[in-house]
Structure formats: C-alpha cells, structure tokens
Amino acid sequence: MKASMPIGVFDSGVGGLTVLSAISKKLAGEDLIYLGDTARLPYGTKSVDTITRYALQASAKLVERGVKLLVVACNTASAAALPALQKAYPDLPVLGVVEPGARAACAASVNGRILVLATESTIKNKAYQRAIHAIQPKAEVTGVPCSLFVALAEEGWVNGPIVESVAKEYLKGIFALDSGDGGSHRPVQPEPDCLVLGCTHFPPLAASIKAVAGNGVTLVDSAESTALTVAEALAAYSLLNANRGSTPGTISLLTTDNEARFARTGSVFMGRHILESDVELVCL
C-alpha cells in the first residue's frame, strides 16, 4: 500500500521544481506532489526559527496528502530545519538537498577548493561547509550569500547583462574578472575548481554564472544527486512503486499564492510548460 503513495517535495518557491523534474526523470513511475510556499518567499533571509516553522507547516500539508517520503527541495530549509522535520515525522523518510550536493561537489573538485553560492541563511548556517568537511576534511570551502539571484530567478531573468553584472559583483575577489572599466578584479586566494549552486533557484542562472566564473570551474547542481538519493531511499525502505510498470506517474502542483505566476515562472524551472489550471492554491 505504501509503495503506491506519492513522494512529497516542497520549497519556498518554484526553485525546487528543478529537483522535482530530476526525480520525475529518475523515477518515472512515481506519483509526485510539489508544494511551493510562494506566499512567504524567500526563506533565505528569515531567522532559523521562522524557517523551521514554515518548513513544518509546508511538510504537514504534504503529509496530509499521504506522502511516503518527503524531500526538502530547499537548501535553506534543509540547512535550518531538517532535524526538526525528521523529529516531527520519525516514521517518514525525510531527505534534504545539502548532503547530496556536498557529495557531488567533493566528487567534482580536484584541488579541494569549493565555492558555495547560496542564500544568506544557508551560508550563515554553514551547512554545506559541515557536509563537505564530513566527506573531505581538508577541503577549502568558501560561502557567498547571493540573495539577489533568488529574485532574478523568480522574475524569470536568467541571462543577459543584468544577471551577469550581479554575478560579477558576487564573484569578484574569487575569480579573475574583467571589471568592465579597463581594470580587473584579482582573486585574493587560489581559485576554486568547483562551484555549488546551493539554492534550488540558481540552476536556471547557471549559464550566466558560468560565463562569469569561466571554464576552469565545474558547476554542481544538487538536483541530480538528490534524485539518486531519493531512489536509494525508496529502495532501502521498500517503497519503490513497482506496480506502475511503464505507466508515467502523476505530478500535482500546489502553491500558497498566485497560481498564474507559479505556472509562468515554474515553467522555466520545470523545463516544460505549466498551465495555471495545473496548479492548486492551498493555505498553510
């Protein structure tokens, strides 16, 4: 019975749709429910207590829908609230995106210098630093809060001079960059060879970030590694939906505010067109 239940995924907004999409491709026969708490976006500038309260409320809504596994597809909530969520639902597998992202970063880095771009809260919490050092103790991890990236992604501004200008501001002093006025910004230490997109809102901006950082750095997005972790957890708990066969699973989309905006912006993150009628408005 449990195996036929859906997987629940939540984020502060539409960014976690990148994780949902990766899970859908990895586990095509599974039913998925996604909740984007867009009414209270962003989580990244909130206090730990507030983030935890919001995450508990969002997860409760998905648990009401009978999910068999919960994915916290928000780096900020994973960093701040994962232990509280696991304590609140001891019989439910609850997975975050930080540890899968950290594993992918350690596998990608050759020189052990890793840059994490994330929200203010995630950087302050040092969640990625701890997760990376647990795998690779000698890694040099630098964290940069990039809150403006969230706003740009939510507006659908994922490329062009404005995005690259913001990226240059965040990355100057870390990479050797042309300042645009005939000068240059030199790094204050050896450049990292791995850059972690430590917020699910950042992947659509990856091309612009890469254009600024240069070809010498590998970008890591935790979506793919999280999908693999979900598949492993379902197998470990005997929760894989073997009954669906080749039948594609269903995807239900929930939001706490403005279905039309969710559909419009979410289409960028999901990689396919979302209709407003596909989105259900819920109250937490």
Side-chain angles (χ1 to χ4, degrees):
M1 178 64 178
K2 272 193 172 184
S4 62
M5 295 161 64
I7 298 168
V9 183
F10 83 87
D11 187 17
S12 60
V14 297
L17 289 171
T18 57
V19 177
L20 186 80
S21 179
I23 295 172
S24 178
K25 291 173 183 175
K26 181 73 176 176
L27 299 161
E30 297 288 345
D31 293 334
L32 304 172
I33 301 179
Y34 180 89
L35 171 59
D37 188 12
T38 51
R40 302 187 292 196
L41 177 83
Y43 282 9
T45 56
K46 307 292 193 298
S47 69
V48 170
D49 287 345
T50 297
I51 295 164
T52 300
R53 183 171 72 254
Y54 288 178
L56 286 167
Q57 291 169 347
S59 61
K61 179 62 67 174
L62 292 173
V63 171
E64 285 177 9
R65 302 288 179 114
V67 299
K68 63 183 176 182
L69 181 145
L70 181 66
V71 181
V72 186
C74 171
N75 286 268
T76 298
S78 293
L82 192 62
L85 291 170
Q86 292 171 333
K87 182 179 180 180
Y89 302 105
D91 299 323
L92 181 72
V94 181
L95 309 176
V97 290
V98 171
E99 289 192 7
R103 288 198 299 272
C106 290
S109 179
V110 175
N111 65 20
R113 290 187 286 273
I114 299 170
L115 173 65
V116 178
L117 304 185
T119 64
E120 178 183 334
S121 179
T122 300
I123 297 302
K124 186 176 181 180
N125 184 279
K126 296 186 182 296
Y128 268 101
Q129 288 90 325
R130 290 194 301 274
I132 290 169
H133 285 147
I135 302 166
Q136 196 170 322
K138 294 184 178 180
E140 298 176 20
V141 186
T142 302
V144 177
C146 303
S147 298
L148 276 179
F149 281 162
V150 177
L152 289 169
E154 284 284 332
E155 287 295 328
W157 294 0
V158 298
N159 50 49
I162 293 176
V163 181
E164 291 192 14
S165 179
V166 173
K168 283 182 179 181
E169 283 298 312
Y170 284 138
L171 298 178
K172 68 183 181 183
I174 298 173
F175 297 99
L177 305 177
D178 180 356
S179 64
D181 58 6
S184 63
H185 296 293
R186 307 304 304 174
V188 297
Q189 57 189 11
E191 294 185 4
D193 69 345
C194 177
L195 187 159
V196 180
L197 300 173
C199 175
T200 51
H201 281 80
F202 294 179
L205 283 70
S208 295
I209 295 170
K210 178 76 170 179
V212 173
N215 293 325
V217 64
T218 299
L219 267 59
V220 168
D221 167 13
S222 62
E224 295 295 334
S225 50
T226 298
L228 177 60
T229 300
V230 170
E232 292 170 345
L234 290 177
Y237 287 95
S238 300
L239 292 174
L240 283 167
N241 190 358
N243 295 328
R244 291 202 66 95
S246 59
T247 306
T250 61
I251 296 177
S252 301
L253 302 173
L254 315 178
T255 185
T256 54
D257 185 56
N258 200 332
E259 305 99 299
R261 181 180 175 85
F262 182 100
R264 183 176 66 253
T265 310
S267 297
V268 176
F269 289 84
M270 192 68 178
R272 65 174 179 81
H273 186 58
I274 299 173
L275 299 174
E276 182 180 347
S277 58
D278 294 332
V279 186
E280 178 185 349
L281 184 66
V282 297
C283 182
L284 300 184

